[in-house]
Structure formats: structure tokens, C-alpha cells
Amino acid sequence: MMIRKDLREGKYEGVVTRFPPEPNGYLHIGHAKSIVLNFGVAAEFDGRCHLRFDDTNPETEEEEYEKAIIRDIRWLEFDWGEHLYYASDYFERFYGYAVELVEKGLAYVDSQSEEEIRETRGTVTEAGRHSPYRERPVKENLELLERMRAGEFPNGAHVLRAKIDMASPNMKMRDPLLYRIRNVPHYRAGDAWHIYPMYDFAHCLEDAIERITHSLCTLEFENNRDIYDWVLENVSIPRPRPFQTEFARLSLTHTVMSKRKLLSLVKGGFVSGWDDPRMPTLAGMRRRGYTPAAIRKFCEDVGVAKANATVEIERLEHAVRDDLNTKAPRMMAVLRPLKLVIESWPVDEVEWLDASLWPRDVPKEGTRRVPFCKELYIERDDFMEEPARGFRRLYPGSRVRLRHSYIVECTGVEKDEDGNVVEVRVRHDADGSGKKPKGTIHWVSARHAVDVPVRLYGRLFSEPHPESHPDKPYEEFIDKCSLEELTAKGEPELANVESGSHVQLERQGYFFADPTLTEEGRPALNRTVPLRDTWAKVSARAGLEKAAVPDGGRKKAAAEPDEGRPVGEATASAEPASQGAAGRAPLDAEALGLRDAHGLSSEQARLLASRPDLRRFFEAALQVHDAPASVARWVVNEVAALTKHRELEELPITAGGLAELARLVDEGEVAAPAAKTVLDEMSRLGESPREIVERMGLAESVDSTLLEALVREVIAAHPAEADRCRQGKKGLIGFFMGKVMEATGGKASPSDARKLLERHLGG
RNA sequence: UGGGGAGUCGUCUAACGGCAGGACUUCGGCCUUUGAAGCCGACUAUCCAGGUUCGAAUCCUGGCUCCCCAGCCA
């Protein structure tokens, strides 16, 4: 939107964005949002997006990370063409700009210690103090800088600082550091440098050098924008220059996102590495089976705004399921086996059934063969000796459909000496003539089953907001049970699932054949995401209710209207009374005088008293049109709004003009809506109200018969809306008002128009 | 308590001063050889208080809450 405006105004010829990762860690889903945004806007406006490594800190950056980052972005299927850049390739130019600043007297070499610099920076409420080296002569600065570059000093001996303002309320502007000495080699630049540029100096220059137009970054850099602008305004870079715009970074429930915390999860052994499938890293998600398309869709869906926000993980999971639904073929496997014996089936007979790989609503072809015989495995959860209410699966006497196969009826169970059910016995319905069963369960042939290692991944943190507990560190919410490993019994075809491919195990979830663990003919499956499970929710709820029942309460009736009643009291006792006008500070003498002299409201008086410019304007206007009430209203509400972003003095609007306008309205020559148009024009061009009214033909001139006709016309043009309005959707009156006022150019009396509309649409 | 940002359904996110919309979640219903998917429906929101206006999420005033800034990290 903002970009559209820039283009429309001809600020830039095209759009150039960039994704600027620092090669010091792995990319996570939060970076994905930035990637999708940057590449997305470039594509939308037919521009381009650069990939630029912001490698300005040699101490933490490594080629390994660079490689991983490139792999991850490619995996997301974004393409930067030949536009791969490195901040380190610009080091020489940065240095040139630094020299330029020094020569202009806008930067100096500071030889204070790190600690001294920190102490003299001041605090958020106190100004900082000047460095004793601040006025070092240009020549000396140049020499020192040259020697810093040459490696003549130890780390920390000197820094280059911008000379801006040690008293700036923006801490970032208190002579920010531009260069620091680091006598270490850079992973790309080698040992060519002994000084390295700071982010605030380098980033804006990188953008300018690459002719970036829109530099999108996260909210925490808002304070840095002033430096960004300062540097680019003070060095010789090509124009038009880039501008920085901030957006909210992504947070997700049930996880953490900062590099530091992710690293501590790895180091603490809570996960197996950066690519552990529970990690929110792209590498982890890839290994878990999340797809690039799902991640992109998710990033687009959550949108971009400036408000800090935490997106529910369910939303990501939805995107993943939605994508995989049409991409993952269906197969069967039993995670926790229970033997099922078909009493009515011959011992040695095997029937190979054709089973579709896709459900009805996925328009894809393909089947596989599934063997059926006397002994099968079914899921333990699919049998209950004493069925819960609503249980639609196997229990003594029940009938279920075996997926892709026969209907069976449970005839009994076998138990071990401890009373555990070890085998369920059924008879099958050979011709399918019986009535339809309520449920369908999955199964595999015991004889043909293949063992498949399966990892069930859950959320890393049990708490939705692990970082939002002041009294508890996020580590305490790590879910130790977020990984469950087991060996499943799979149908034969499952052995052929290839490394890196997706499959849905029916009724259980989407799984991914882990590329690092899968062997030929023996996939290791990671559960990407479980299927939505309504029954699990229902039974969990039932369990809760049951737990609440023992003390004799009636089933759910008691649980339903929970103890939410105190709400009414709470709101009532919330003492909002202290706020209102009565609760405000009393008017000072000046405001009091204003109020009494002109009969203003306290609010109006308070504003005029606190804004000398508006007060003078108000008083000057009274000289022309002595109607304090209406003039005050215009000044307080409308003129004040105009001064939001511009000084009153800069506005071409005069007190006399405003007074004239107020008079025209008071005397009924111009209707209120039209008067606002006039004011807008006045603030743009500085014409007198009368000139504008004449030029635009805004004098009130809509007589009642004409207005009536207009109203009828507008209603006739929107029959559907009129109907809804008559049926009670009163908000639509506003819709019609808008149309009528538009038709009259704001010249009609709004109250008359509304009356007419209400009469016609009232029924 | 300096400065910079931000407050719209439970959660994200829309709405030239003119119908508070969409998505996720939740809850009903339909359908179903996946308690999935799909389809239909429902619930629920403009931080608060004043003001301007025919009409305010939007403009004005005041207040409240949350986030960011005192790295030689980015």
C-alpha cells in the first residue's frame, strides 16, 4: 500500500527489496515471514529482491551458516537470480564513506574505553556527556582511522563514532559507533581488515549501494531509523535513496524464536540439533515434513502489520494439513497394535485388496494392493471393552468397517492373566449385506506387516506463551514428552515410501520419511502433524466431566453454565467513575479565563490554553467572526487535526479565512459537509472560503423536492440494501447517506437527508 | 518518570468519515469406507472516557495497557 503510493508519486522507478540475513545461525519461521514479504512485494511490483549476507561481525559468522541459509531459501523456492551480495564486498566503500564523514567533521575517533563510552552515554532520562576526543582535529582522526584499519591497535583501543547529539532523546543517536577494531580474520574477507563496520553504519549503505528502494525490517529497529536517515543524508550516495519501514516480527505459540533461546535448546540437549523436527527452524520443519508451500501460505495468511502479535500454532498446522491433503497418498499402519482374529476366515487364505491411495475428494488416481487374512492388527485405541458414550469403534457386539475391506462384528476377547485384552475376535460379513456400521478403522495383516520406526512429534512447549511468565523461565515449559518413538506395523506398501516423501497414515496424521534416517525399503517416519481428531476432543471433554461427577453432580448440566457470574460484579466495581471529565486535572487560570470569557467548554478551553498557536489563531478569528462557540469548534476539532503533522504557521490557512468559513456555515450559506471540503481546499491552496465555494459550486442549493428525488433515486439504485435496511439493518442508513451526500456534492443538509431516508427506509 | 511504536472477535488481519468483513480456533448440523477432508450454520471484537459530526474503528482531547531503546550484536 505504502509502496503503491511511492510508485504513484514517482519516488522510484521500480521496487527493489532485499533479505539481509547475518550468517551466524539458522533461519526460522520468523525469517520465512520476512523472506516471503521481501520476495513477495518485489514480485508483486515486478521488481527484484536481493539476497545479501550482512556479514559485518567476523566473530560470529561462518560459511556453514551461509550455506544453510542459502539452502533454506532455495527450499522455500525463492530465487534471487544473480543478485547475491555480501556486505563484506562493500568494506572498501564503507571505509570511503567513513572518511567522507570524518572530513565533513561528522565523525571522530574516540579513544575512550568501552566502559567510559557506556557511562557517558547517559540514560533514557538523562543526556549523555561529550567524549573528550569529540573535537579531535579532522587530520588526526584521519590518521588514527588509517592506523586502525592497518591493525596498529589492539581491540577496543579506539572506535569511530558519528558526531550527532549526545543529548538526543533517542539513545541511538548519541554519537553511535561506526567502526570497532577487531583483530580477527573474516570468513570471506580474510585478514584484509582490522576494523569492521557496525550495523547502523553498514546496513543503510548496503541498501543504498544496491539501490534498494524499500528496506523492510522488524519493529525493534524503529529507533535506528534516525541513524539510517542521518548516514544516508550525510554521505554521497546515489539518489533516490532507500527508506526503512518496519513491520512486526512473527511470534508463534508453543515455541520460542530467538536465536539465543534456540541455541540453548540445542546446547542443553533438549533437542537433537538445529534441525530437530520440533524446532521452528526451517531445517527442522523441513525434516518434520512441513512443505515450502504450506510455510509460504501461512506467512501470507498471517499478514503484515505493525502490532506485536503472536500467531497460534494451529494456524501453521492448518496450512500444513491443507497442503498435504492433496499431496500425501494414504496408507495404513498401526501404531499400537492389538491382535484381531477373524473367526470366520480360513487360516491360510490371503485376499489382496485394491485400495485407493486417495480419498474421494482428491482428484488423483492410483491404488495399491493390501493383503487381508485371518490375523490382523488394529489400533488399541479402536477397541474398548466397555465403550464410552459415543464410541463408534470396536467393542463386544459392535460392528465396524475395516477400511478398504470387510465389515466385522465383535464376538469376544481374549485376556491375559492380568485381565488385559490381548486379542479381539470378530466374524466378518462376507457379502456386505448387513446394515452399515457406524465406524471405520484401519488395520494391517499381521503376517504381512512391516516394522516401521515412527517418531511422534508434539509441541516443544506445553505452554502457549513460554516466554510470558515473569516468575518462570521458558525452559520450565519444555514438554519432555514432545517426542515419542515407537515401531509401527505397516501395510507392505509402506516399505516402498521413499526418503523425503509424504504419506498420510489414515486416521492418524501426515508423516514424512526422514531423509537422514530412512534406509532403502525401511522408511523412518516423522509425524508431521496429526489429523484433526474430533473424537479425541469429545472423549477428553467427557473424561473431564466424569472426573467432576463423583461428588454426585449431574453430568454436564453442572459443568455448562460455569461460575462466570461474578463478571457482572467485576465490571460494575471497576470504578470507571474516577476517569471521566470529573477526574481530570482542574483547569488552570488561563484555561478558566478562556472558558469564561468566551463561554467555551472546559475541554475546548484546556486545549486552547495548552496550545498557544491555536489560541492566537482562535482569537484572531474572533476578530473577523465573533462567534466563539462555532469558531472554537472549528479550531479545536478541525484545525488541530491539520496541525498533526505540520506546524500551523506552515499551513496556508489563515485565521480570517477560517472565520469566514465559520460564518458561511453559521449563516446557512454552506452545509457542514461541504464546509469540510472547503477547509481541505483552504489548507492546500490557501484560497479564501468564498473563492472555493464559488469555484466548486458548494453554496447550499438543494431544495427539498430535489433532495427527495435524489433520495428516491439512490434507494432505487440499491434495492437489495434497501430491503435489508427495511428489515432492520439500520447501519445501512449510513450507506445511503453516503450515496446521497455524494450525489449532492455535500451541499444538502444532512439532517434533512437523513430524515428523508429514514422515512423511506423506516418500514 | 525521556524518546520511539502499537492497541479491532479467543488468535491473526481488513474496512476514502458511510453495511465492522475474512481466516484460524471453538460449537452445532449435513455428508462420509479416514470421528479426516468437504459443505452449511452459529458464537464472539473496535482499550477506556469525553468531544466534533446527520453518521466515528477512522477526526479532536484526555487517560489506560503493552512493546522497543542505555552491545565495541544485528
Side-chain angles (χ1 to χ4, degrees):
Chain A
M1 200 184 92
M2 160 207 86
I3 293 172
R4 227 179 287 282
K5 178 166 177 263
D6 288 344
L7 256 21
R8 181 165 16 91
E9 292 173 354
K11 189 162 163 185
Y12 303 106
E13 285 176 11
V15 171
V16 186
T17 57
R18 98 272 94 115
F19 175 64
E22 183 189 12
N24 71 343
Y26 285 78
L27 258 29
H28 53 62
I29 182 79
H31 293 112
K33 176 179 177 180
S34 176
I35 293 168
V36 168
L37 206 216
N38 278 294
F39 281 93
V41 304
E44 184 182 346
F45 296 100
D46 206 22
R48 64 174 192 268
C49 179
H50 299 177
L51 171 59
R52 177 175 71 229
F53 285 97
D54 204 1
D55 53 350
T56 57
N57 183 353
E59 296 187 307
T60 58
E61 295 155 4
E62 293 170 24
E63 190 173 355
E64 181 207 334
Y65 291 123
E66 180 189 319
K67 293 260 159 44
I69 289 167
I70 286 180
R71 186 183 63 223
D72 287 345
I73 306 175
R74 282 205 198 290
W75 176 66
L76 283 178
E77 297 168 326
F78 288 105
D79 183 17
W80 49 90
E82 69 261 38
H83 299 285
L84 171 63
Y85 302 107
Y86 296 84
S88 50
D89 288 342
Y90 307 144
F91 280 175
E92 192 62 49
R93 298 167 77 170
F94 295 161
Y95 187 81
Y97 289 123
V99 169
E100 180 181 351
L101 286 177
V102 171
E103 285 171 342
K104 286 178 174 170
L106 292 174
Y108 61 98
V109 172
D110 193 348
S111 307
Q112 294 184 104
S113 71
E114 187 170 347
E115 194 168 317
E116 286 168 327
I117 288 177
R118 185 169 47 243
E119 279 167 6
T120 54
R121 183 146 32 215
T123 68
V124 290
T125 49
E126 300 162 47
R129 299 192 302 280
H130 282 183
S131 162
Y133 304 97
R134 200 171 197 259
E135 300 308 325
R136 190 122 69 177
V138 169
K139 189 159 173 253
E140 190 181 330
N141 282 325
L142 252 15
E143 278 168 21
L144 281 169
L145 182 59
E146 181 64 42
R147 294 174 59 201
M148 284 164 66
R149 171 179 182 166
E152 292 186 26
F153 304 110
N155 290 353
H158 309 279
V159 291
L160 184 73
R161 298 180 76 176
K163 192 187 286 186
I164 306 180
D165 179 8
M166 287 306 289
S168 171
N170 179 357
M171 299 284 301
K172 297 278 183 195
M173 293 294 272
R174 322 249 258 227
D175 287 11
L177 274 61
L178 268 22
Y179 270 103
R180 78 288 215 184
I181 297 173
R182 281 289 172 273
N183 290 299
V184 294
H186 184 279
Y187 86 97
R188 289 191 76 249
D191 51 12
W193 292 85
H194 292 85
I195 55 174
Y196 293 91
M198 301 288 292
Y199 167 86
D200 284 315
F201 182 57
H203 202 94
C204 52
L205 292 173
E206 294 159 22
D207 287 341
I209 287 168
E210 292 177 21
R211 308 302 310 270
I212 299 296
T213 56
H214 299 269
S215 181
L216 310 176
C217 68
T218 46
L219 252 26
E220 68 269 24
F221 290 101
E222 275 172 334
N223 297 313
N224 300 60
R225 190 174 56 227
D226 285 344
I227 315 183
Y228 190 101
D229 292 336
W230 185 90
V231 172
L232 294 190
E233 289 302 327
N234 285 294
V235 298
S236 312
I237 45 105
R239 312 266 151 177
R241 71 162 174 99
F243 282 87
Q244 169 180 314
T245 304
E246 307 83 14
F247 65 94
R249 60 165 42 178
L250 174 68
S251 298
L252 269 186
T253 56
H254 297 284
T255 191
V256 295
M257 208 76 93
S258 78
K259 276 180 192 169
R260 203 198 94 239
K261 286 172 182 163
L262 258 16
L263 181 64
S264 91
L265 291 174
V266 174
K267 289 233 166 106
F270 298 111
V271 295
S272 63
W274 286 100
D275 66 344
D276 185 292
R278 288 164 292 179
M279 293 283 272
T281 52
L282 295 181
M285 291 183 168
R286 173 170 52 230
R287 210 175 143 188
R288 185 170 176 147
Y290 284 18
T291 57
I295 291 172
R296 278 186 258 118
K297 178 67 162 43
F298 167 74
C299 290
E300 286 159 10
D301 280 356
V302 299
V304 176
K306 287 195 83 161
N308 284 316
T310 303
V311 177
E312 290 171 331
I313 191 85
E314 284 84 351
R315 205 152 165 151
L316 213 207
E317 293 175 342
H318 173 263
V320 172
R321 290 191 189 104
D322 196 44
D323 187 45
L324 254 17
N325 182 35
T326 56
K327 289 180 178 168
R330 317 291 141 118
M331 291 186 199
M332 294 193 292
V334 172
L335 265 26
R336 297 175 182 85
L338 174 62
K339 187 166 281 185
L340 183 82
V341 176
I342 324 265
E343 293 173 330
S344 51
W345 194 268
V347 175
D348 293 322
E349 186 172 334
V350 177
E351 180 178 359
W352 287 83
L353 304 159
D354 278 317
S356 171
L357 289 165
W358 305 98
R360 276 191 320 283
D361 55 343
V362 173
K364 290 188 175 177
E365 302 289 320
T367 60
R368 84 283 190 186
R369 307 269 281 171
V370 183
F372 184 90
C373 56
K374 188 178 181 69
E375 294 198 346
L376 314 176
Y377 291 119
I378 61 167
E379 209 67 57
R380 289 207 95 88
D381 284 352
D382 287 339
F383 177 81
M384 284 182 98
E385 194 171 13
E386 293 172 29
R389 189 167 49 94
F391 188 71
R392 311 215 292 245
R393 310 175 192 177
L394 262 192
Y395 53 90
S398 80
R399 289 158 52 81
V400 298
R401 161 77 65 181
L402 293 177
R403 178 74 168 148
H404 300 302
S405 178
Y406 299 95
I407 292 166
V408 296
E409 178 167 341
C410 179
T411 56
V413 299
E414 299 285 327
K415 298 183 181 180
D416 62 15
E417 53 268 28
D418 297 327
N420 299 313
V421 174
V422 294
E423 188 178 301
V424 176
R425 305 189 69 85
V426 299
R427 251 196 309 272
H428 80 291
D429 179 353
D431 57 3
S433 59
K435 70 172 176 115
K436 277 187 162 186
K438 301 160 287 187
T440 300
I441 64 175
H442 60 276
W443 53 277
V444 300
S445 162
R447 266 169 60 196
H448 304 84
V450 295
D451 281 348
V452 179
V454 167
R455 288 175 176 72
L456 265 21
Y457 291 102
R459 294 161 186 170
L460 234 195
F461 293 87
S462 51
E463 217 326 286
H465 304 281
E467 296 161 291
S468 304
H469 299 263
D471 45 330
K472 280 190 183 177
Y474 67 97
E475 290 99 330
E476 291 203 15
F477 300 103
I478 294 175
D479 185 352
K480 302 291 193 309
C481 310
S482 53
L483 168 59
E484 186 180 355
E485 298 183 71
L486 37 80
T487 302
K489 298 288 186 187
E491 62 169 276
E493 184 64 20
L494 204 52
N496 299 326
V497 169
E498 288 178 14
S499 168
S501 60
H502 305 270
V503 62
Q504 184 197 99
L505 296 182
E506 292 203 67
R507 303 212 303 133
Q508 304 195 107
Y510 293 100
F511 291 75
F512 181 67
D514 191 317
T516 67
L517 266 17
T518 292
E519 298 163 19
E520 183 69 29
R522 193 168 184 274
L525 297 181
N526 294 332
R527 186 176 65 190
T528 308
V529 61
L531 256 28
R532 284 186 73 224
D533 189 350
T534 306
W535 169 245
K537 271 183 241 161
V538 171
S539 57
R541 206 190 311 155
L544 283 178
E545 283 167 14
K546 215 169 276 174
V549 166
D551 38 35
R554 269 295 282 153
K555 309 176 241 187
K556 60 193 176 211
E560 174 65 57
D562 65 9
E563 62 296 334
R565 287 293 68 84
V567 166
E569 297 170 37
T571 36
S573 64
E575 70 204 70
S578 66
Q579 249 95 334
R584 300 216 185 132
L587 295 182
D588 61 23
E590 188 186 1
L592 233 32
L594 235 23
R595 187 187 67 179
D596 297 341
H598 302 295
L600 305 181
S601 74
S602 299
E603 284 304 317
Q604 290 172 329
R606 188 191 307 279
L607 177 75
L608 292 177
S610 68
R611 287 280 302 270
D613 57 336
L614 290 181
R615 181 185 175 162
R616 280 194 300 276
F617 193 86
F618 168 70
E619 285 170 344
L622 284 187
Q623 301 303 311
V624 178
H625 180 50
D626 188 23
S630 65
V631 171
R633 192 172 58 64
W634 280 98
V635 172
V636 167
N637 286 293
E638 307 298 340
V639 180
L642 295 173
T643 60
K644 203 75 177 175
H645 301 290
R646 269 204 290 176
E647 292 299 317
L648 184 52
E649 287 76 21
E650 298 172 20
L651 254 20
I653 191 165
T654 64
L658 193 270
E660 269 308 312
L661 179 61
R663 191 209 301 278
L664 289 173
V665 175
D666 288 348
E667 292 174 357
E669 288 195 44
V670 175
K676 282 202 184 171
T677 308
V678 174
L679 186 69
D680 284 345
E681 289 297 301
M682 287 166 66
S683 71
R684 281 196 320 128
L685 307 167
E687 290 169 278
S688 80
R690 211 166 271 288
E691 285 168 339
I692 295 166
V693 168
E694 276 167 29
R695 174 163 63 82
M696 303 180 77
L698 293 176
E700 186 160 14
S701 64
V702 182
D703 66 40
S704 57
T705 42
L706 179 55
L707 186 59
E708 170 106 29
L710 234 29
V711 165
R712 286 176 189 282
E713 202 173 294
V714 165
I715 291 174
H718 302 277
E721 283 81 1
D723 269 356
R724 278 197 292 145
C725 195
R726 290 194 183 95
Q727 275 151 29
K729 182 87 179 168
K730 289 304 171 209
L732 280 166
I733 292 274
F735 166 79
F736 284 106
M737 275 297 289
K739 298 285 177 212
V740 171
M741 296 313 291
E742 191 184 336
T744 64
K747 289 186 285 186
S749 146
S751 50
D752 291 352
R754 177 166 285 259
K755 263 181 236 147
L756 282 169
L757 278 168
E758 277 166 356
R759 175 137 40 87
H760 286 279
L761 296 168

